[in-house]
Amino acid sequence: MKKFYQLTAEERLETLDLSEPMKAFFTRHQSEESKQLIENYISDYRLPEGVLRNLQVDGKLYQVPMVTEEPSVVAAANNGASIANKGNGFKTTQVGEAVLGGQILFEGVHQKDLADFVAEHVDEIFQRAKDAKPSMVERGDGLEAVQVEELDQNRAVVNLTVNTGKAMGANAMNTILEAVKTVFSSYEKEIVGAILSNAGHDAVVTVETSVPVSAVGGLEAAKKIESLSTFGQVSPDRAVTENKGIFNGLAAVVMASGNDYRAVEAAGHAFASRSGQYRSLSRWSLSEDAEFLNGKIEMPLNIGVLGGAIAALPMAQKNLELLGNPSVEELKSVLLATGLANNLAALKAVSGRGIQSGHMKMQARTIAVQAGATGDEIQAVADQLIYRKHIDQKTAEEILGAMKNDTQN
């Protein structure tokens, strides 16, 4: 008898004892591309994709695909980018290396003995890494450094640094680690495990912008944005929400490009805590002459433009084409610029008239759909919800019912 994971997607649906309409729904949303991507596949879960128009980064305009379910994210990104374009858009001031870290974890070892062992066997370590992924070495990538790190009296880590080139390189890193681990056969009992690290210490990217204060509503508005940004540096609770807003945009582009948004966010949150207190990833401050509002975002990014899920997802490939087939470095800058654009739009709204009115305008269409509106009814119901300033499903259902009665009469 086949195990569940060995069944076809259609056979799995049969075993789940679903109603015929449910089975038909899941079957209708299957795709050949996705069937081999994950275990126990039954169907595709679709998310909407929008476009951030004319994001200016390093003097170049990008049309940026964004995949998200939150109504206001794409609108906020376009708003923030439009404001930044009234200056000179966004500028990359630091591009991290295309490197990924990996760790072999040891417990119960003598620190000096391990360090001496690594020093004596460093050539063998590099050779095992090369043999594991020769194609990486051929294109100039591969293992770059080996370092022993003492964690406490009982634990140590052998850190590997691998240049991954155009690929994110997670699978390659783990393959190299497994190969290198064999060098440490005499430490078999002390090895707890070997796994990549998503921390990205050597992959930090910095993007900045300088916006005329007139573009955000004048000097007083700019001062409020600066003040609100400062709260993100001293209040962890405020920083959590501010970083969430940054990742609203950033992760939407990571998702659209077929990269690992979970790894990107984990690295970002760790970086935000590097001082011992969780802080916002962005900073906004007035220039000395108070003519410009300067913004900066900084965090590690380990991403790729080929391989992995990108190779298996046609939409990811087309989205990279929409972006102009960027290099890894370009894509990193676009990601951070999008996050900073969302951040600017959110700070401007929160420090000004508040964020809820803009959010609810976008949410009104979603509520209209939930109430059963279709086609032209959706915007008509949404407009009425906004006019009444009472945006909930019950009100939407009442409006839709009245519209249908008027049509029938």
Side-chain angles (χ1 to χ4, degrees):
M1 184 177 178
K2 289 183 179 180
K3 295 182 178 179
F4 191 76
Y5 75 89
Q6 295 172 320
L7 301 175
T8 66
E10 292 73 20
E11 289 170 339
R12 292 185 195 114
L13 290 175
E14 291 294 336
T15 66
L16 292 175
D17 194 28
L18 303 174
S19 66
E20 288 303 318
M22 281 280 284
K23 282 190 287 186
F25 178 86
F26 283 122
T27 300
R28 190 164 63 249
H29 290 86
Q30 291 174 354
S31 68
E32 291 303 318
E33 294 89 356
S34 300
K35 285 184 176 180
Q36 306 305 318
L37 283 179
I38 64 168
E39 188 104 337
N40 296 347
Y41 173 85
I42 60 169
S43 192
D44 286 354
Y45 184 104
R46 294 177 58 187
L47 289 172
E49 177 173 315
V51 176
L52 164 54
R53 290 279 286 157
N54 297 327
L55 178 74
Q56 185 179 174
V57 184
D58 298 324
K60 183 176 178 180
L61 293 178
Y62 293 88
Q63 313 309 316
V64 185
M66 302 180 71
V67 173
T68 180
E69 86 297 343
E70 190 169 335
S72 60
V73 170
V74 179
N78 277 276
N79 183 19
S82 177
I83 294 171
N85 285 351
K86 292 177 181 178
N88 292 310
F90 300 91
K91 183 175 78 170
T92 309
T93 56
Q94 178 185 3
V95 179
E97 299 178 61
V99 296
L100 192 62
Q103 298 179 306
I104 304 176
L105 311 169
F106 295 81
E107 188 172 54
V109 294
H110 189 282
Q111 311 282 6
K112 186 177 185 305
D113 287 348
L114 180 61
D116 289 343
F117 181 90
V118 170
E120 292 168 7
H121 292 82
V122 68
D123 290 341
E124 185 179 357
I125 290 171
F126 271 85
Q127 188 60 49
R128 295 287 175 90
K130 179 180 178 180
D131 292 343
K133 297 296 292 186
S135 59
M136 292 185 76
V137 179
E138 287 174 8
R139 63 175 184 258
D141 305 325
L143 181 62
E144 289 190 342
V146 182
Q147 183 182 35
V148 178
E149 178 186 4
E150 297 181 10
L151 300 179
D152 55 34
Q153 291 183 344
N154 195 42
R155 296 173 184 83
V157 173
V158 172
N159 290 311
L160 304 186
T161 302
V162 171
N163 190 316
T164 58
K166 294 182 179 180
M168 190 272 181
N171 291 329
M173 182 77 249
N174 286 330
T175 298
I176 290 172
L177 283 166
E178 289 299 321
V180 169
K181 192 172 70 170
T182 62
V183 176
F184 296 87
S185 56
S186 59
Y187 285 90
E188 184 177 358
K189 292 183 180 179
E190 288 82 12
I191 293 177
V192 176
I195 188 68
L196 69 89
S197 170
N198 293 115
H201 299 299
D202 298 311
V204 177
V205 183
T206 308
V207 168
E208 300 180 7
T209 188
S210 187
V211 180
V213 296
S214 59
V216 295
L219 181 58
E220 290 306 311
K223 286 181 177 179
K224 285 188 176 181
I225 291 173
E226 179 184 48
S227 180
L228 187 57
S229 175
T230 302
F231 272 90
Q233 299 301 319
V234 297
S235 167
D237 286 356
R238 171 61 203 146
V240 169
T241 305
E242 190 159 331
N243 287 340
K244 188 270 181 185
I246 289 169
F247 281 116
N248 274 344
L250 200 159
V253 187
V254 175
M255 177 91 77
S257 67
N259 277 282
D260 187 345
Y261 67 91
R262 301 162 302 277
V264 169
E265 290 199 18
H269 292 307
F271 190 77
S273 305
R274 68 193 183 283
S275 68
Q277 176 182 311
Y278 188 82
R279 303 177 189 274
S280 172
L281 292 165
S282 70
R283 289 175 180 265
W284 293 88
S285 61
L286 279 165
S287 60
E288 287 187 10
D289 60 7
E291 292 293 326
F292 293 91
L293 181 65
N294 299 322
K296 175 181 178 180
I297 184 169
E298 185 176 47
M299 64 170 277
L301 279 174
N302 278 317
I303 58 165
V305 293
L306 54 77
I310 299 171
L313 294 172
M315 277 296 290
Q317 297 162 29
K318 291 299 182 184
N319 283 337
L320 288 171
E321 190 176 335
L322 175 62
L323 274 163
N325 292 315
S327 65
V328 172
E329 291 75 20
E330 281 183 290
L331 183 56
K332 288 179 178 181
S333 297
V334 166
L335 289 170
L336 283 196
T338 304
L340 195 56
N342 274 88
N343 181 231
L344 174 57
L347 292 177
K348 183 174 181 291
V350 173
S351 63
R353 58 184 173 82
I355 205 164
Q356 192 64 1
S357 61
H359 267 256
M360 294 314 292
K361 284 182 180 179
M362 302 299 295
Q363 186 69 11
R365 290 202 296 267
T366 303
I367 297 295
V369 172
Q370 292 172 357
T374 60
D376 294 340
E377 294 172 341
I378 297 173
Q379 190 59 55
V381 172
D383 289 343
Q384 281 295 311
L385 287 170
I386 294 166
Y387 176 76
R388 295 189 185 189
K389 298 181 180 178
H390 204 80
I391 302 174
D392 59 49
Q393 188 168 338
K394 183 178 179 181
T395 304
E397 289 171 351
E398 292 173 357
I399 293 169
L400 181 62
M403 287 172 55
K404 290 184 180 295
N405 286 335
D406 290 344
T407 301
Q408 291 171 357
N409 294 332

